[in-house]
Amino acid sequence: MKKQFLCSFSILLLLALCLNNLQAQHKNAKFRKPAAKREQTPAFNPATDPPFYGGNQAWADSVFNSLTPEERIAQLVMIPVYSNRDQAHIDSVSNLIKTYKVGGVIFFQGGPVRQAKMTNRFQSENKVPLMVSIDGEWGLSMRLDSTVRFPYQMSMGGIQDEKLLYEMGAEIARQCKRMGINVNFAPTVDINNNANNPVIGFRSFGEDKYNVARKSIAYMKGMQDQHVLASAKHFPGHGDTNVDSHYGLPVIHFSRIRLDSTELYPFRELIKNGLGSVMVAHMNIPVLDNTPNLASTLSKSIVTDLLKEELGFRGLVFTDALNMQGVAKFYPPGVVDVKALLAGNDVMLNTMDVKTTIAEVKNAIANKEITQEEIDARCRKVLTAKQWMGLDKWQPIETAHLIEDLNNPHAQYLNRQLTEQSLTLLRNKKNILPIQTLDTLKVAALAIGTTQETDFQRGLSRYTQVDTFFLSPNSTLAELQQMKEKLQNYNLVIAGVHKLQLKAGSSNFGITAEMNLFLKDLIRSKPTIVSVFGNVYSLAKFEGVEKADAVLTAYQENDVAQDLASQLIFGGIGARGKLPVTVSNAFRIGDGLTTQGGLRLAYTMPEAVGLKTQDLAGIDSLVAEAIREQATPGAQVLVAKNGKVIYYKAFGHHTYDNEMPVQKTDLYDLASVTKISTSLAAFMKLKGEGRFDVDRTLGSYLPMMQGSNKESLKYRDILTHQARLKSWIPFWKETVKKNGKFKWATFKTDSSARFPIKVAQNLYIHRKYADKIYKEIAKSPLNEKPGYVYSDLSFILAPKVIENITGKEFESYLKENIYKPIGATSLTFNPYKYYPQSKIVPTEYEPHFRKQLLHGTVHDEGAAMLGGVSGHAGLFGNANDLAKLMQLYLNDGTYANRTYIAGNTVSQFSKCQFCDEGNYRALGFDRPSKPGSENSNAAKSAPAESFGHSGFTGTYTWIDPINDIVYIFLSNRVNPTRENPKLSRLNTRTKVLQVVYDAMDKAINKEKTCFDKIK
């Protein structure tokens, strides 16, 4: 009982003490400042606070304690530097750094290596590592040459996948770090709701505040996750101005409600997501500070009260450049810097007089306009940020491979992805895009605004034959009329608008009244596709452009944008972008039609199919070795995977005199690749139509073979080269007399009615000599032993078989039914009829028969005697067009949503027919003779199901349906003589394809390693 009493008494006593304590606290609270007003540092929140808070600040504290008061002021100074100026400029900057110990530099125009060397020098001369900054809104290329130029923010405003913007931010940060740059003054978070804005415009993500905020956050996080500080600009919002603050002071007459609801929204959202720094604009905003001619940069109401206190921003606050006329016209250097500091800015950007600035700040401290403690706090903030940036462990920039590192394949592919996703299709009448049918079109590619061939035109020409035209921006009415007449015979015009001025202004982006009139009339008169390369607001200046059959905007003019726009038109890629601004009543924010890609070949990088560009570098080395060893003077190499061309290059020269470099559009003599590209193509097409059967005989299809020993040969045996046909017949030898001269009724040096058929330069054959060749084949003996013997003879007869079945001339049948419809327009016999010599790669200097350099006429003697048209040799073409045909084969007879070879015929023809009997060939196609072998007719890793063919002149194509690969290798290894086996000895053609398989293995192994780590 006693114990219970004592326990109860103790509890009562404790309660009384607590009550007294609470009363005392309440009484004392009357004499304290409210909690909200007390000076205290809030707890670090990693989700919302600037990233440089919350870490170990030992280095920052140590450095701070070593600085004099003047040096602490200097930490808040950032001076401008140019790497494209002379040594005097470099030395003057160096002197400023050594004398005043400034806190940082901002680099402007120049080059990467020059800037890196300057950075190394300046960092080594300063007591505390410099904070190095740059304006890189679209990457380093905004200031530095020889670097990747990412899209403008306006174009990225239309991208739907914001993960791409995060990755761009991360890649820009990686490039900044490689350059020793710590701050990138990006993103621009201004909401551009004024089409006439002369300074922001294309630099903004658009006019929708939510979209601007989302895109900006992704960009910011990408950079800051790599420890490069982002900077949202231009606070409190420069999007709706009509004065460029570089040249004057814009006055903003918005209400506070408008500013809160619109301009400030993205800043609030970024601050909530951990924004590291803000750049304050030079604008006069009476609703926030009505001091006349006072820029927001110099306003305490805006910088301290609004940004720091009301919005709660704790990161670094940078001024915009203090040499801009928005502030510089009102205050001299030094004075303007102090005013910026008094307003609450942490760092004074582009201080033009460091000595005066430090002196003026010291005067301000002495006059009690600002305290040393306030300077110290900002200095500590700068040093803390420097520690987070890694400047406590600064290392000199390694300049070796700097340009390569900055232009790395990942960055280039990311740039392509961003550009592709931004392309915006605004009109597509009757779904004209992607263009479906090619063979009924006569296409004119018109470049408006330039007289030079454009990347857009070159890109279009990869898909089909296009004729190019040019219209200069200052064309006269007479010239416009002439152009109209030239275009009269075309049933489709693809017009690219080029060289537009980037900034808004009174010049209508450089669009003249004449240009407007012409385009308006063109759209009215015939099917027209318009692609505008430049500021999207320029669309509003083209009268009636919305009536075009298709309107595509690419936001900017560069090679990548033009390349991808051309692919979109023909269905290599699809359209996905949305308009981020309202341009006119016809083109409004959010507009953007979608189309499907994959219709035709796309042109991209290995990264698009999960491979690495560097892993295909071995192709370059192998071809370089072949050229160096004089195995061939040049080559074209193309690799497509998953319907995407991931490697396409031209190497070397036409001949060893090194005068004519090989171009990707040049035509090569395909030699025996002709067999699978002409005869076999026709046979398969006819088989799919039920008009050809491989189990029928040669005699049933070709009456001239009836009664011969070849009448009963089955095509299944013929196409697998086991029909006992002789390998070849040297027909030309029958035309030569013992003295080496041609027999009278065979060849003449001039053409005539009896000798109309060109065999080579100044050499024409008798009009009926082909009949003699066919008769010679008919009477030739069969091989005594059965089995595989590769033969040309049946393929020489193939055109006659196909003509008998179709009733059409062989070459016309192929061009009309296959080549032209798929856009393979360079595939042709006798290219000298259609192309200049400069576009055709010569083959051999042939001494025994034609006794000349063969240039534009077929290398094979038999094909030449047939007038250059045969089913075994004679076809010419470039790698790109041959790839279209091979892709059709890979697709089992279809291309661009159209079936050319029906009934799974290609799959049937490409299967091994007599493998059990030791014959590894398919019907017409070659297959791996020894799968897995290092020195075989196929790459070591090519699966047994793969197929293709090679050609005597040094050509090769291979199709892998298992891995979805098309491979083309074209060369003229017979130049200057066929007695050159080096290309085969080096095994270059199959080794090149093996590089692709090795790259695939690397990618698979890397993926497996990553998966194992995750497990």
Side-chain angles (χ1 to χ4, degrees), residues 671-856:
S672 283
V673 172
T674 299
K675 293 180 175 70
I676 66 168
S677 305
T678 61
S679 304
L680 198 63
F683 283 145
M684 289 192 294
K685 180 169 180 57
L686 294 169
K687 167 67 169 64
E689 296 167 354
R691 302 166 72 188
F692 178 77
D693 186 345
V694 294
D695 290 315
R696 291 184 63 183
T697 63
L698 177 60
S700 68
Y701 287 117
L702 195 60
M704 71 170 67
M705 290 295 122
Q706 293 173 3
S708 74
N709 58 3
K710 298 169 186 65
E711 179 181 8
S712 60
L713 298 181
K714 286 186 178 180
Y715 255 102
R716 192 177 296 276
D717 292 321
I718 289 170
L719 293 175
T720 52
H721 297 276
Q722 61 174 34
R724 296 172 58 208
L725 291 169
K726 290 289 182 185
S727 176
W728 69 295
I729 298 171
F731 302 107
W732 69 272
K733 289 186 177 180
E734 291 296 315
T735 67
V736 180
K737 295 187 287 189
K738 288 183 179 179
N739 63 4
K741 293 185 178 180
F742 291 120
K743 294 176 182 177
W744 185 87
T746 56
F747 293 102
K748 299 295 179 187
T749 56
D750 291 315
S751 63
S752 65
R754 292 184 66 201
F755 295 87
I757 302 167
K758 186 173 182 177
V759 173
Q761 195 67 28
N762 300 320
L763 191 63
Y764 297 84
I765 198 168
H766 193 279
R767 60 190 174 89
K768 293 187 177 180
Y769 200 90
D771 294 337
K772 188 170 182 179
I773 290 174
Y774 300 139
K775 288 175 183 177
E776 195 168 347
I777 293 173
K779 70 179 183 180
S780 65
L782 297 175
N783 296 325
E784 292 181 12
K785 296 180 181 179
Y788 170 76
V789 174
Y790 181 83
S791 174
D792 281 346
L793 300 187
S794 72
F795 287 92
I796 293 174
L797 299 173
K800 287 297 175 187
V801 173
I802 289 152
E803 286 169 5
N804 281 343
I805 295 172
T806 65
K808 294 182 179 178
E809 188 269 329
F810 181 56
E811 183 176 11
S812 297
Y813 175 79
L814 291 168
K815 287 185 174 181
E816 291 170 11
N817 289 279
I818 301 177
Y819 300 165
K820 191 173 181 184
I822 67 172
T825 53
S826 77
L827 296 183
T828 186
F829 295 103
N830 294 316
Y832 68 86
K833 294 180 179 179
Y834 315 106
Y835 294 90
Q837 294 279 73
S838 61
K839 301 299 295 179
I840 307 168
V841 180
T843 52
E844 183 180 19
Y845 182 87
E846 192 253 90
H848 55 274
F849 169 32
R850 287 154 288 185
K851 299 183 173 69
Q852 59 183 271
L853 177 68
L854 302 174
H855 195 177

Side-chain angles (χ1 to χ4, degrees), residues 33 73 121 285 325 346 394 429 577 679 687 794 947:
K33 291 181 181 179
I73 296 169
R121 173 179 172 178
I285 311 172
Q325 290 303 297
D346 297 313
W394 180 82
K429 291 182 182 176
S679 304
K687 167 67 169 64
S794 72
F947 56 98

Side-chain angles (χ1 to χ4, degrees), residues 409-482:
H410 171 73
Q412 293 180 37
Y413 178 56
L414 177 60
N415 186 31
R416 293 186 71 85
Q417 287 179 291
L418 289 160
T419 305
E420 178 180 334
Q421 296 276 342
S422 73
L423 296 177
T424 305
L425 183 62
L426 295 169
R427 287 289 182 276
N428 194 19
K429 291 182 182 176
K430 297 180 181 178
N431 293 319
I432 189 174
L433 299 185
I435 292 171
Q436 300 288 327
T437 306
L438 300 181
D439 48 341
T440 58
L441 291 179
K442 188 175 182 185
V443 184
L446 172 64
I448 298 175
T450 181
T451 57
Q452 302 294 318
E453 186 182 38
T454 66
D455 291 301
F456 183 53
Q457 290 172 317
R458 280 189 285 271
L460 295 170
S461 69
R462 290 175 301 196
Y463 288 99
T464 190
Q465 173 65 43
V466 297
D467 296 332
T468 56
F469 298 90
F470 307 92
L471 201 60
S472 71
N474 52 359
S475 297
T476 63
L477 288 173
E479 289 169 332
L480 294 174
Q481 181 59 34
Q482 289 173 0

